[in-house]
Amino acid sequence: MTWLYFDWRTPEQGGRRSNWVRSWTVWRYFKDYFPIHLIKTWDLDPSHNYIFGFHPHGVLVAGAFGNFCTNYSDFEQLFPGFTAYLHVLPFWFRCPLFREYLMSSGPVSVSKKSVSHVLSKEGGGNISVIVLGGAEESLDAHPGKFTLFIRQRKGFVKIALTHGASLVPVFSFGENELFKQVNNPEGSWLRTVQERLQKIMGFALPLFHARGIFQYNFGLMPYRKPIHTVVGRPIPVHQTLHPTTEQIEELHHTYMEELKKLFEAHKRKYGIPEHETLIFK
């Protein structure tokens, strides 16, 4: 308890990553199991800071963790001079011991203070990776579905304007294919219970299943489906310390359009039918 008292704010001040933990051999097996790929489509300037908007959440955000929280992805080769910070729910940093393990891989809190700390680095070179759909989106993480909860997510736009951080849409193809979920359409009793629990606890409880260790019929191990995390083109953002509602709305709309273009440009490469498109909620 004494340690927690003095260390409480560390997840909002850049965390405490460990190259030793990030280099554990298990993460190499984790990356190669699916496998996980990181694809760059545009060069980024290491003298600036960026916000990566990661989509979709999926059930366990495997693509974000594999690409930005281990030393076995191609991140350092593709984006030299950058340090990525994956922002996760503050709840996880309230759990003694587990918080130390989590921080050692690189994640930090998704609070406003935490994101501001990352984006305030003089000279640039920091990337805030934010899974914008959040816990709510995980309840719609069904195979073959592309539903993103983003229409009401505008806090990241305001903080981008405040710090002058460019926005970069990122889409992880295959993220929703790793697990199946018990059918939970909106309005069903299961979905209602899940949404109420999410409001109370701050995180969602999708009833997911996939395969076992020695059989493919049922279990909690994810299916072995490839994940291709595509990093799109940066959207330049002019620093505005006190952005207006109109400026936030305009940049938010631009971001959604760029995200849609990224999905449409790459979907055929990863086996998504031509008629499929993103659904924004």
Side-chain angles (χ1 to χ4, degrees):
M1 294 302 293
T2 303
W3 171 253
L4 281 178
Y5 177 80
F6 286 105
D7 197 60
W8 190 254
R9 298 191 182 278
T10 299
E12 292 185 338
Q13 298 172 346
R16 186 170 45 248
R17 65 180 59 200
S18 165
N19 272 324
W20 176 65
V21 174
R22 290 168 60 93
S23 299
W24 282 354
T25 305
V26 67
W27 303 134
R28 176 163 60 84
Y29 289 120
F30 175 81
K31 171 184 176 291
D32 293 340
Y33 172 79
F34 298 99
I36 298 174
H37 305 279
L38 184 64
I39 296 95
K40 181 177 77 170
T41 63
W42 206 269
D43 288 330
L44 303 184
D45 184 354
S47 66
H48 291 83
N49 296 315
Y50 295 84
I51 294 179
F52 279 13
F54 187 93
H55 312 270
H57 184 287
V59 172
L60 295 180
V61 207
F65 182 85
N67 281 311
F68 304 115
C69 296
T70 76
N71 289 340
Y72 291 102
S73 77
D74 295 327
F75 177 81
E76 290 187 0
Q77 290 74 37
L78 295 176
F79 301 99
F82 283 99
T83 302
Y85 294 84
L86 177 62
H87 295 271
V88 302
L89 286 174
F91 167 83
W92 300 114
F93 299 107
R94 298 169 190 160
C95 306
L97 301 182
F98 178 76
R99 71 191 293 275
E100 316 303 330
Y101 169 67
L102 182 62
M103 275 194 290
S104 65
S105 295
V108 293
S109 172
V110 76
S111 68
K112 182 180 178 181
K113 287 184 179 179
S114 178
V115 178
S116 293
H117 177 86
V118 172
L119 298 179
S120 296
K121 182 188 176 185
E122 293 292 335
N126 276 357
I127 297 174
S128 280
V129 183
I130 306 176
V131 186
L132 297 176
E136 187 178 12
E137 192 173 278
S138 68
L139 298 178
D140 267 321
H142 294 273
K145 290 189 66 176
F146 305 98
T147 302
L148 305 181
F149 286 72
I150 189 174
R151 290 194 182 276
Q152 303 305 317
R153 306 289 205 270
K154 299 176 183 177
F156 76 101
V157 175
K158 184 176 181 179
I159 204 166
L161 284 164
T162 303
H163 291 275
S166 297
L167 291 173
V168 182
V170 178
F171 197 89
S172 197
F173 293 90
E175 196 76 42
N176 282 350
E177 309 301 317
L178 307 184
F179 297 93
K180 293 178 181 178
Q181 279 196 61
V182 175
N183 195 33
N184 60 341
E186 291 187 1
S188 66
W189 68 269
L190 176 57
R191 186 60 169 263
T192 301
V193 171
Q194 288 175 320
E195 290 174 346
R196 287 180 180 175
L197 287 175
Q198 180 207 332
K199 290 179 180 178
I200 295 171
M201 299 184 297
F203 59 91
L205 292 173
L207 296 182
F208 62 90
H209 59 90
R211 54 162 290 185
I213 298 176
F214 301 112
Q215 46 80 28
Y216 292 86
N217 297 321
F218 187 82
L220 296 180
M221 279 190 66
Y223 291 115
R224 199 169 190 179
K225 302 284 187 178
I227 299 173
H228 294 88
T229 302
V230 183
V231 180
R233 181 175 65 177
I235 303 168
V237 177
H238 178 70
Q239 186 174 19
T240 308
L241 296 179
H242 303 287
T244 64
T245 302
E246 290 74 20
Q247 289 173 316
I248 293 172
E249 290 289 345
E250 181 181 0
L251 183 56
H252 185 258
H253 177 75
T254 300
Y255 178 85
M256 289 196 297
E257 288 299 314
E258 287 296 322
L259 176 59
K260 187 179 294 184
K261 289 178 184 177
L262 178 68
F263 178 81
E264 293 295 330
H266 295 272
K267 66 181 183 181
R268 287 174 291 278
K269 298 177 187 176
Y270 306 117
I272 298 175
E274 180 68 30
H275 68 275
E276 293 288 354
T277 187
L278 295 179
I279 299 175
F280 293 148
K281 285 189 175 181

